């Protein structure tokens, strides 16, 4: 059967050239992902998941709690 889980390397999507989370993708505490960060993650994950699901109709977004920082 086909694997039901996909692990996506998301930290590079949020990181600057120094490897640390970009300020605009973090909340004031620097640890949690900001709304802009979730938008960037959605833009990264959508085409991968759409392809994996063999559908271009996936319109979900990455929500808090779906990502462990």
């Amino acid at each position: 059967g086909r694997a039901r889980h996909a692990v996506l390397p998301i930290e590079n999507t949020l990181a600057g050239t120094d490897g640390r989370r970009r300020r605009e993708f973090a909340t004031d505490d620097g640890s949690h992902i900001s709304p802009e960060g979730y938008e960037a993650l959605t833009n990264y994950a959508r085409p991968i998941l759409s392809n994996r699901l063999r559908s271009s109709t996936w319109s979900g977004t990455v929500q808090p709690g779906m990502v462990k920082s």
Side-chain angles (χ1 to χ4, degrees), residues 8-50:
L8 303 178
I10 63 167
E11 281 304 317
N12 289 339
T13 303
L14 303 176
T17 56
D18 62 358
R20 302 183 98 186
R21 185 168 298 154
R22 290 171 40 191
R23 185 171 298 207
E24 65 269 26
F25 294 153
T27 57
D28 290 341
D29 66 9
S31 177
H32 295 90
I33 300 171
S34 70
E36 294 82 5
Y38 283 108
E39 182 177 349
L41 290 174
T42 297
N43 292 336
Y44 166 73
R46 180 178 280 129
I48 296 168
L49 295 176
S50 290

Side-chain angles (χ1 to χ4, degrees), residues 1-8 48-49 52-54 58 66:
R2 196 165 130 176
R4 293 180 175 252
H5 296 89
V7 177
L8 303 178
I48 296 168
L49 295 176
R52 183 161 175 88
L53 297 171
R54 298 183 192 276
W58 184 73
M66 293 175 68

